[in-house]
Amino acid sequence: KNQVRNTLDATLNLQSFDSQLVERHNKPEVELKTSKELLLTPIVIPKSETEGVLIEPSVNSLRISIKIKQSDEIEKILTKKFTRFLCQRAEQFKILRRKPIEGYDISFLITNTNTEQMFKHKIIDFIISFLDDIDKEINDMKLAVNARARSTAENFLKNF
Amino acid sequence: MILLEIENRVVRETLDVRFATAAGSKPEPVTVIVADFDGVQYHIHNPGGDKTKVQVSIAMKFYKELEQFSALDLLRAEYGDHLCEKAENGYNVSLIYDLTSLPADPAARDLLSKKAASLKRNCFATVFMKYFEWQQSGETEHKRAVIHYRDDETMYVEAQHDRVTVIFSTVFKDEDDIVIGKVFMQEFKEGRKATGANPQILFSHKNPPLELQKTPGARSGDNIGYITFVLFPRHFTSATRDNTINLIHTLRNYLHYHIKCTKAYIHSRMRAKTTEFLKVLNRARPDSDSKAQKKTITGKTFNK
């Protein structure tokens, strides 16, 4: 967790950088990957074998991809539904990317405009709390499904 | 709300209203077409425009399969004179109620409407009753009953020397349903340890269970599940028989109803969580912090 925070702190110094290829355009370089010198090295911070965070920084934008722990089928479908839900509201979230990167469950794209509009430390706080909350939420929902199944089975069977 | 109702509430209430008004004022004409679970349709109307009679008819796609189990006999025993000899056009069974000759006692009238509303359940009951009888009398040579109660789903009933097995095949249209369905069936399987009285329940995903391996037409696939109930004689003594039939014939609908409820619950939780995330994120925006309103001494207000 602290590693993620430190990395974000270091890499979130974004500044506006006009595109070198097309005049008058300002694009997030991490998405386009047009010029090698503008990109910094991507960093992978694994929490375990199945979970991890990928951070790809560049001069004016930062991409964070998260892989959430999904140990059984029900966690898989819950994660899928939840991330789809969030991505549909990407417009409201501003920093959320509509499609996750290959191999990951959800991705955030933070550009220099975002850092100019929002406090940097608050963005980092949000990402960190997001990592915690999403794991907790998936667990809670799985427990709720199991509890529901148990009570419906009990109610049915006790009538015999 | 956890258990599904056995009777059809629409039929019950329509008849109740008709019976109540019949006692006092002039009866009004009635025409109601209602759909019920498993593709069953009810039709309530006045035959031939005669407002003093009310006819309740039911249409089920699989009635022919029920007929082999002398469905009419059981229905006759249950409904007596109210059963029509020939069913209405396009329907399988019809009951007729003469509003002028109803019993005066409201409790007895209640019973009549309750029986009419249970028409679908009684049709299902015919199959079960027959198999219970055969099991009790020890006849085991009768072949398995196959009833296609829905387009893609079938029910198999078989009597053996010490038990009756009922197997439902069910289709999960949505792949998330399959996962949630498996969780539910896991609980059903293990739930029997709680009380000793309930029947043994087995679940088989994708492939038909051993008993059905040789049956043609038993489907297999990723989204197909088979639920097997093993009923022992204590489940169909004359006291418990009705209860058992009530519970078993609505099981498939019960299961799917609860799967859908679970999905709706998950959705509402996710919605709540996303609004929470949004709130946290918005704390990061400096201009959404509260605008301090300041006043000067003269009374002019401005935003800082």
Side-chain angles (χ1 to χ4, degrees):
Chain A
K1 203 68 49 60
N2 282 327
Q3 295 170 320
V4 178
R5 185 183 278 276
N6 290 336
T7 321
L8 284 177
D9 237 343
T11 52
L12 211 54
N13 297 313
L14 306 174
Q15 57 188 1
S16 179
F17 197 88
D18 289 331
S19 163
Q20 290 179 321
L21 294 179
V22 185
E23 273 190 29
R24 298 241 219 145
H25 275 208
N26 192 329
K27 306 187 228 235
E29 293 298 328
V30 73
E31 294 282 339
L32 298 180
K33 301 201 201 305
T34 42
S35 316
K36 289 262 172 59
E37 74 260 15
L38 298 174
L39 303 177
L40 305 176
T41 49
I43 307 172
V44 178
I45 306 177
K47 201 156 87 167
S48 68
E49 277 182 7
T50 47
E51 311 173 68
V53 176
L54 169 70
I55 303 182
E56 295 163 283
S58 78
V59 70
N60 65 353
S61 42
L62 177 69
R63 191 158 66 190
I64 305 168
S65 309
I66 306 178
K67 178 118 191 75
I68 306 169
K69 176 170 70 146
Q70 300 149 64
S71 39
D72 62 11
E73 277 195 15
I74 190 124
E75 275 184 18
K76 274 205 196 64
I77 62 162
L78 285 174
T79 320
K80 200 170 64 142
K81 275 182 185 277
F82 198 42
T83 48
R84 217 179 49 169
F85 223 76
L86 289 170
C87 293
Q88 278 175 338
R89 288 159 177 71
E91 189 65 28
Q92 289 183 338
F93 273 100
K94 302 254 190 241
I95 59 171
L96 192 60
R97 196 170 185 268
R98 274 200 194 271
K99 281 179 105 134
I101 306 292
E102 275 302 324
Y104 289 87
D105 296 314
I106 194 170
S107 298
F108 291 92
L109 177 69
I110 309 178
T111 62
N112 51 291
T113 39
N114 293 135
T115 42
E116 281 159 24
Q117 285 173 339
M118 304 192 254
F119 288 127
K120 192 179 92 161
H121 58 279
K122 285 270 169 67
I123 299 183
I124 299 178
D125 281 342
F126 173 74
I127 305 273
I128 304 291
S129 69
F130 184 83
L131 286 172
D132 283 331
D133 281 345
I134 207 166
D135 272 337
K136 197 165 78 76
E137 189 62 23
I138 301 282
N139 263 329
D140 281 347
M141 287 204 274
K142 188 167 98 153
L143 286 176
V145 171
N146 280 335
R148 241 194 124 87
R150 199 168 310 131
S151 70
T152 49
E154 248 182 67
N155 260 304
F156 182 75
L157 294 170
K158 76 167 185 251
N159 288 304
F160 275 104
Chain B
M1 204 41 204
I2 294 205
L3 292 172
L4 294 178
E5 287 185 349
I6 309 293
E7 322 165 329
N8 187 314
R9 191 172 267 271
V10 179
V11 172
R12 176 90 194 265
E13 286 181 4
T14 319
L15 285 178
D16 275 345
V17 166
R18 293 283 158 272
F19 291 170
T21 55
S25 45
K26 213 168 70 120
E28 292 166 10
V30 57
T31 309
V32 176
I33 299 188
V34 184
D36 199 351
F37 284 116
D38 302 327
V40 164
Q41 225 185 33
Y42 283 94
H43 184 211
I44 308 178
H45 72 144
N46 309 106
D50 182 4
K51 291 201 277 259
T52 54
K53 293 195 176 24
V54 177
Q55 188 175 45
V56 179
S57 314
I58 189 174
M60 287 184 287
K61 285 185 251 174
F62 49 96
Y63 189 69
K64 296 230 170 357
E65 288 163 351
L66 294 178
E67 266 182 335
Q68 338 165 348
F69 303 102
S70 34
L72 273 181
D73 287 343
L74 193 102
L75 292 176
R76 198 163 295 132
E78 179 80 11
Y79 295 105
D81 286 333
H82 295 290
L83 187 66
C84 297
E85 276 312 315
K86 187 165 135 37
E88 198 187 322
N89 236 352
Y91 290 87
N92 298 118
V93 178
S94 295
L95 306 172
I96 193 141
Y97 292 94
D98 193 346
L99 293 176
T100 49
S101 57
L102 287 178
D105 176 21
R109 277 211 291 257
D110 232 13
L111 192 58
L112 276 186
S113 66
K114 195 163 135 76
K115 279 191 180 187
S118 317
L119 189 50
K120 170 178 96 115
R121 178 238 175 243
N122 285 330
C123 294
F124 261 106
T126 51
V127 180
F128 288 112
M129 292 293 210
K130 260 283 161 321
Y131 274 84
F132 291 163
E133 278 165 26
W134 285 338
Q135 198 281 331
Q136 282 177 335
S137 59
E139 304 171 25
T140 52
E141 305 86 36
H142 294 278
K143 60 188 205 5
R144 194 181 290 134
V146 177
I147 308 203
H148 299 91
Y149 63 96
R150 252 183 195 240
D151 282 336
D152 297 326
E153 305 186 4
T154 331
M155 178 173 79
Y156 303 92
V157 189
E158 183 165 4
Q160 283 148 351
H161 59 100
D162 62 344
R163 62 181 80 166
V164 172
T165 49
V166 183
I167 307 179
F168 284 93
S169 82
T170 180
V171 172
F172 294 111
K173 293 225 163 56
D174 184 28
E175 59 171 44
D176 291 342
D177 276 359
I178 305 180
V179 177
I180 303 183
K182 277 208 268 195
V183 175
F184 271 83
M185 290 324 298
Q186 195 72 18
E187 289 299 328
F188 269 104
K189 257 200 295 203
E190 291 166 23
R192 84 176 297 233
K193 296 189 207 125
T195 51
N198 43 26
Q200 191 178 18
I201 302 182
L202 304 160
F203 179 64
S204 159
H205 180 226
K206 287 193 236 198
N207 297 314
L210 293 171
E211 292 94 357
L212 293 180
Q213 290 290 4
K214 307 183 219 61
T215 314
R219 304 169 55 194
S220 350
D222 250 345
N223 54 348
I224 313 266
Y226 286 88
I227 308 170
T228 310
F229 282 89
V230 182
L231 299 170
F232 296 107
R234 61 165 183 269
H235 293 124
F236 40 87
T237 58
S238 33
T240 55
R241 184 179 287 200
D242 282 338
N243 189 26
T244 309
I245 296 179
N246 280 347
L247 290 165
I248 301 230
H249 90 273
T250 46
L251 172 82
R252 185 246 167 231
N253 296 318
Y254 179 75
L255 181 69
H256 279 262
Y257 165 70
H258 277 285
I259 293 180
K260 300 224 170 26
C261 281
T262 316
K263 283 209 288 198
Y265 175 70
I266 294 180
H267 277 160
S268 54
R269 262 190 91 120
M270 290 201 282
R271 219 168 292 142
K273 214 56 171 89
T274 43
T275 40
E276 231 184 86
F277 276 138
L278 216 58
K279 262 198 291 198
V280 175
L281 187 60
N282 283 334
R283 273 190 244 142
R285 314 184 92 239
D287 49 31
S288 67
D289 281 336
S290 53
K291 292 186 194 296
Q293 279 226 337
K294 303 234 163 157
K295 277 184 164 179
T296 61
I297 294 179
T298 50
K300 277 200 283 202
T301 58
F302 62 91
N303 290 330
K304 184 161 161 48

